[in-house]
């Protein structure tokens, strides 16, 4: 190719091949609409900012910046593995989840989104078979797709499950109050999943983003803990755990973590060094002070509010949804997953409900690696108060009814 001196750069021709696999997130597009006061948004997995622990965060920041030794730590380059005291706190937190591990098994990441990217970087070659639930968290689909996997469906009941798992490099799932469909994997199914994973060499990526937000029933043991109980030590476990403080403390601080066998931690730390040297020391130190002083108290503040909002959404759905629309009751987390009648398309519904009713949600297609899922939509209930939920669901019910009438 002859390129004239001084001609403009043809960026698409210059970009690396992997950029073709980078897909925009529909959800991040919707976040821009949140500023419009007329729009009721059920999009986004967004905590209520009124519930951020503002005072503890302010106190922690002030304490750190006022103390010369802490300040030097917070503002200086730090270790790639993360802030030692926070890693130690996470060891205690994981023990409460039934995961015995040591500080050397913990890496702090810039949110659990980075955890997913780093895990994919060290694990996935182009063409590897990766299983995930249908639907699955769109941010994980986005992060992993860059590395060129072939996607397969994680469905324990499929007749060919055994053969599929034997060929799979990794399986990704959100076992508690999944994003997007709110489902939780039962204890029996956790064991069935580990049985399938241990037939071959499949690594299980356990995303525990919503685990702390349980409104009812008992907490279930982490897949990683169950696997360690089977194999004897985290060093022999095939489960990699991604955690986050985004849903309990504040997502803007961008603090998450990975728990993994030492050999995996070593590679992940190298990948993290290459990406960003280390995640923000100040943010890690603030989070450490906040969680060490009152993680449980903060979660206890969130649960009754989010539970009431979940109940308000379920009640509003009962009142306003036309016959033929179905949903499940989530036991925690942030989402209700709606199934529309056969033949309806949630993308078309979104365009219509945005234009005419000023209510938005995330269409189901975002959550399927193959772009299917037109009949589904995800509703978030944590960011809106009960009156807004009632009004928004009434508007959505009207939009769905209108669309059903047009289709008849
Ligand atoms: C299932 C799941 N995993 C990971 C993340 C990433 O969160 P963060 O990077 O803020 O920890 C999200 C965010 O919505 C999520 O829903």
């Amino acid at each position: 190719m002859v390129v004239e001196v001084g001609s403009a750069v043809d960026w698409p021709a210059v970009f690396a091949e992997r950029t073709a696999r980078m897909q925009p997130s529909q959800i991040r597009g919707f976040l821009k609409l949140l500023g419009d006061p007329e729009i009721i948004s059920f999009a986004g997995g967004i905590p209520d900012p009124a519930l951020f622990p503002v005072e503890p965060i302010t106190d922690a920041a002030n304490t750190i910046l006022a103390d010369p030794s802490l300040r030097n730590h917070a503002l200086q380059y730090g270790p790639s593995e993360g802030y030692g005291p926070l890693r130690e706190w996470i060891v205690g937190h994981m023990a409460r989840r039934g995961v015995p591990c040591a500080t050397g098994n913990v890496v702090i990441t810039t949110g659990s989104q980075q955890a997913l990217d780093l895990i994919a970087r060290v694990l996935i070659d182009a063409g590897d078979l990766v299983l995930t639930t249908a639907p699955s968290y769109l941010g994980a689909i986005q992060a992993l797709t860059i590395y060129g996997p072939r996607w397969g469906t994680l469905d324990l009941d499929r007749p060919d499950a055994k053969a599929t798992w034997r060929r799979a490099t990794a399986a990704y799932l959100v076992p508690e109050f999944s994003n997007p469909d709110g489902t939780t994997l039962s204890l029996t199914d956790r064991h069935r999943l580990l049985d399938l994973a241990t037939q071959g060499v499949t690594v299980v990526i356990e995303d525990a983003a919503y685990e702390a937000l349980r409104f009812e029933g008992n907490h279930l043991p982490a897949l990683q803990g169950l696997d360690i109980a089977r194999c004897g030590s985290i060093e022999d476990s095939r489960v990699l755990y991604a955690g986050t403080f985004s849903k309990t403390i504040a997502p803007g601080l961008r603090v998450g973590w990975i728990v993994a066998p030492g050999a995996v931690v070593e590679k992940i730390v190298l990948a993290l060094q290459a990406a960003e040297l280390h995640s923000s020391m100040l943010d890690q130190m603030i989070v450490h002070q906040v969680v060490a002083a009152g993680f449980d108290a903060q979660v206890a503040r969130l649960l009754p509010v989010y539970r009431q909002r979940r109940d308000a959404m379920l009640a509003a759905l009962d009142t306003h949804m036309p016959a033929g629309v179905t949903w499940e009751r989530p036991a925690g987390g942030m989402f209700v997953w709606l199934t529309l009648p056969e033949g309806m398309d949630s993308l078309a519904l979104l365009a219509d409900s945005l234009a005419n009713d000023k209510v938005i949600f995330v269409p189901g297609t975002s959550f399927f690696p193959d772009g299917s899922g037109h009949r589904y939509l995800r509703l978030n209930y944590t960011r809106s108060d009960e009156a807004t939920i009632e009004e928004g669901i009434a508007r959505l019910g009207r939009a769905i009814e209108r669309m059903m009438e047009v289709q008849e």
Side-chain angles (χ1 to χ4, degrees):
M1 187 170 67
V2 181
V3 179
E4 276 181 38
V5 176
S7 59
V9 179
D10 176 7
W11 287 112
V14 173
F15 286 144
E17 226 176 85
R18 77 182 76 87
T19 61
R21 297 191 288 263
M22 295 175 175
Q23 298 300 326
S25 152
Q26 287 177 333
I27 293 187
R28 300 218 68 79
F30 293 135
L31 291 182
K32 290 185 208 134
L33 297 172
L34 291 182
D36 181 340
E38 282 187 37
I39 290 179
I40 296 182
S41 173
F42 298 130
I46 299 189
D48 185 343
L51 294 169
F52 291 153
V54 176
E55 235 177 81
I57 290 173
T58 311
D59 289 348
N62 286 338
T63 308
I64 292 162
L65 293 173
D67 179 307
S69 144
L70 289 174
R71 179 169 68 218
N72 287 348
H73 231 65
L75 301 179
Q76 191 52 277
Y77 283 117
S80 298
E81 295 83 347
Y83 180 52
L86 181 58
R87 295 168 76 210
E88 279 161 32
W89 186 91
I90 287 168
V91 168
H93 177 75
M94 294 304 294
R96 292 201 296 166
R97 282 226 66 197
V99 177
C101 64
T103 321
N105 299 113
V106 180
V107 184
I108 308 295
T109 56
T110 299
S112 56
Q113 190 63 33
Q114 189 194 36
L116 300 177
D117 175 63
L118 294 174
I119 289 170
R121 270 187 211 213
V122 304
L123 213 65
I124 295 168
D125 285 319
D128 283 352
L129 178 63
V130 176
L131 307 180
T132 195
T133 48
S136 182
Y137 168 50
L138 88 157
I141 297 171
Q142 242 188 342
L144 273 61
T145 294
I146 290 174
Y147 301 93
R150 282 177 300 126
W151 287 104
T153 306
L154 194 174
D155 175 358
L156 302 177
D157 298 321
R158 267 171 76 135
D160 61 350
K162 272 190 174 176
T164 309
W165 278 77
R166 266 198 294 271
R167 288 183 283 112
T169 300
Y172 165 84
L173 76 161
V174 185
E176 290 88 19
F177 326 123
S178 182
N179 180 358
D181 66 0
T183 52
T184 295
L185 199 66
S186 69
L187 185 58
T188 308
D189 282 349
R190 285 171 200 242
H191 281 293
R192 287 174 70 205
L193 184 145
L194 290 173
D195 288 344
L196 287 166
T198 45
Q199 299 176 100
V201 289
T202 314
V203 170
V204 177
I205 306 167
E206 174 174 28
D207 182 338
Y210 298 94
E211 185 276 327
L213 300 183
R214 176 176 277 283
F215 308 146
E216 55 213 19
N218 295 324
H219 285 269
L220 288 167
L223 282 163
Q224 193 173 46
L226 294 173
D227 192 43
I228 292 170
R230 289 167 166 227
C231 68
S233 157
I234 188 164
E235 299 309 331
D236 295 321
S237 173
R238 66 191 51 239
V239 181
L240 311 180
Y241 185 104
T244 181
F245 294 108
S246 287
K247 311 300 177 181
T248 47
I249 308 298
L253 291 170
R254 310 302 305 131
V255 182
W257 70 92
I258 296 170
V259 177
V264 181
V265 164
E266 238 174 74
K267 286 286 181 210
I268 282 178
V269 168
L270 292 177
L272 188 147
Q273 265 169 15
E276 59 160 6
L277 302 182
H278 61 81
S279 66
S280 157
M281 288 302 288
L282 179 59
D283 287 348
Q284 293 183 64
M285 291 172 75
I286 290 172
V287 165
H288 172 249
Q289 291 218 358
V290 172
V291 296
F295 179 76
D296 290 348
Q298 167 62 10
V299 173
R301 271 180 79 217
L302 303 176
L303 293 184
V305 180
Y306 289 168
R307 184 193 303 122
Q308 246 175 331
R309 290 178 183 176
R310 186 250 349 232
D311 292 345
M313 184 166 275
L314 292 173
L317 288 167
D318 273 337
T319 308
H320 299 292
M321 281 302 130
V325 180
T326 59
W327 58 91
E328 300 283 330
R329 173 194 173 86
M334 295 191 167
F335 309 108
V336 177
W337 183 242
L338 234 62
T339 306
L340 299 171
E342 196 80 58
M344 276 186 75
D345 179 359
S346 61
L347 272 170
L349 176 69
L350 177 64
D352 182 72
S353 63
L354 175 59
N356 297 307
D357 306 281
K358 298 226 170 228
V359 60
I360 59 171
F361 52 82
V362 184
T365 44
S366 297
F367 304 102
F368 292 78
D370 63 2
S372 64
H374 289 264
R375 276 179 70 195
Y376 306 100
L377 54 104
R378 190 192 77 177
L379 300 172
N380 166 262
Y381 50 76
T382 51
R383 195 177 160 276
S384 312
D385 61 29
E386 285 135 68
T388 311
I389 289 173
E390 162 68 22
E391 169 61 22
I393 296 297
R395 291 187 197 179
L396 184 61
R398 286 198 292 275
I400 294 176
E401 253 167 25
R402 246 192 343 263
M403 190 170 244
M404 285 166 95
E405 280 162 17
V406 171
Q407 289 195 335
E408 273 166 15

